[in-house]
């Protein structure tokens, strides 16, 4: 995933309000009196969210499974307090090391094996310091079934035209994306990208976060930290590792 897509990922993220998402996470960190020492962001991608934490935490580990995305990160930003890690977020272990762990923008939905998702929550618990905070989101059931579903979309943005075809079966959505990028000579280069996400029910998430050992598990609408509604697009969860 993202081998070629990293070239256009940032341009196609123009509608994501990274500054607001980061502010919401910091609000939760303040609410739970989380120290601003050590932070881990899983599935950090090209750093478009991470950059809002550069001046907030002393040390940041930013992890992603795509070297291409991490190369974009390294080319765009060079903060002294950020360590880039190429690794699978499900398997990553660095016990009792972080005050805050963040997994945002439906990265959990991309973990399509429920057993692997459970392992991810368990390792996040291990990796947090006592009293640490886990914050992550998922695409809501509403978004996955009613918005994504087995639907097709066509977009045009600046020099990129692309089609997006979804096929949903057994709580999995296969996503076929075809991007056509206009070159200086007016010719278009085609980039094909396949992705897959799983629908995760809220009860599954809450139950398995609790089984991992977390307490005070809360959920919010990602956009405003308000109550989750029937048409909420992304659900934000927070959970504490007890001291």
């Amino acid at each position: 995933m993202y081998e070629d897509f990293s070239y256009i990922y940032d341009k196609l993220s123009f509608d994501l309000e990274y500054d607001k998402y980061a502010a919401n996470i910091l609000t939760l960190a303040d609410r739970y009196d989380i120290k601003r020492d050590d932070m881990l962001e899983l599935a950090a991608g090209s750093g478009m969210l991470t950059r809002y934490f550069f001046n907030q935490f002393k040390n940041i580990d930013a992890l992603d499974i795509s070297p291409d995305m991490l190369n974009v990160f390294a080319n765009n930003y060079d903060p002294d307090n950020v360590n880039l890690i190429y690794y699978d977020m499900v398997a990553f272990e660095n016990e009792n090391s972080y005050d805050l762990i963040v997994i945002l923008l439906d990265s959990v939905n991309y973990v399509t094996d429920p057993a692997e998702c459970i392992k991810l929550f368990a390792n996040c618990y291990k990796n947090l310091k006592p009293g640490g905070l886990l914050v992550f989101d998922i695409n809501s059931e509403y978004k996955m079934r009613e918005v994504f579903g087995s639907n097709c979309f066509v977009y045009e943005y600046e020099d990129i035209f692309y089609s997006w075809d979804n096929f949903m079966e057994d709580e999995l959505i296969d996503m076929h994306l075809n991007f056509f990028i206009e070159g200086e000579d007016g010719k278009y280069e085609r980039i094909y990208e396949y992705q897959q996400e799983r629908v995760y029910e809220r009860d599954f998430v809450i139950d398995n976060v609790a089984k991992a050992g977390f307490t005070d598990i809360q959920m919010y609408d990602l956009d405003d930290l308000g109550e989750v509604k029937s048409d909420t697009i992304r659900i934000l969860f927070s959970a504490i590792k007890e001291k």
Side-chain angles (χ1 to χ4, degrees), residues 24-40:
N24 288 344
I25 293 168
L26 292 170
T27 294
L28 292 174
D30 288 340
R31 185 174 298 175
Y32 289 99
D33 197 24
I34 300 301
K35 292 182 179 180
R36 302 288 181 92
D37 289 336
D38 301 293
M39 172 185 166
L40 169 66

Side-chain angles (χ1 to χ4, degrees), residues 4-169:
D4 294 315
F5 190 49
S6 59
Y7 172 73
I8 53 176
Y9 178 81
D10 288 357
K11 180 173 284 191
L12 296 179
S13 299
F14 63 89
D15 60 337
L16 296 176
E17 298 180 277
Y18 290 101
D19 54 344
K20 183 169 71 175
Y21 303 153
N24 288 344
I25 293 168
L26 292 170
T27 294
L28 292 174
D30 288 340
R31 185 174 298 175
Y32 289 99
D33 197 24
I34 300 301
K35 292 182 179 180
R36 302 288 181 92
D37 289 336
D38 301 293
M39 172 185 166
L40 169 66
E41 184 184 357
L42 299 175
S46 61
M48 293 187 72
L49 176 70
T50 326
R51 59 181 169 157
Y52 292 100
F53 298 95
F54 290 166
N55 297 323
Q56 299 291 332
F57 283 80
K58 293 180 181 178
N59 304 295
I60 300 173
D61 284 348
L63 179 148
D64 202 274
I65 199 169
S66 167
D68 298 280
M69 296 298 282
L70 292 175
N71 284 336
V72 174
F73 193 137
N75 289 331
N76 287 345
Y77 313 107
D78 187 26
D80 293 335
N81 62 330
V82 176
N83 177 40
L84 300 183
I85 302 173
Y86 166 52
Y87 211 82
D88 180 354
M89 71 175 183
V90 171
F92 182 69
E93 294 186 33
N94 189 14
E95 293 190 22
N96 299 312
S97 296
Y98 303 103
D99 302 290
L100 173 67
I101 296 178
V102 173
I103 321 170
L104 220 63
L105 298 178
D106 53 287
S107 297
V108 171
N109 295 96
Y110 282 105
V111 183
T112 55
D113 181 346
E116 290 287 280
C117 188
I118 292 169
K119 180 180 177 181
L120 171 64
F121 296 146
N123 278 338
C124 284
Y125 185 85
K126 290 178 186 177
N127 294 338
L128 280 170
K129 300 175 185 178
L133 175 67
L134 170 65
V135 180
F136 66 95
D137 77 347
I138 60 169
N139 276 336
S140 67
E141 302 102 301
Y142 166 78
K143 180 180 179 181
M144 294 290 283
R145 295 193 175 103
E146 303 299 327
V147 180
F148 280 175
S150 292
N151 294 319
C152 301
F153 309 91
V154 176
Y155 299 97
E156 185 174 7
Y157 180 69
E158 294 183 354
D159 60 342
I160 301 173
F161 175 89
Y162 63 105
S163 64
W164 179 348
D165 297 299
N166 292 339
F167 302 92
M168 183 172 184
E169 185 176 5

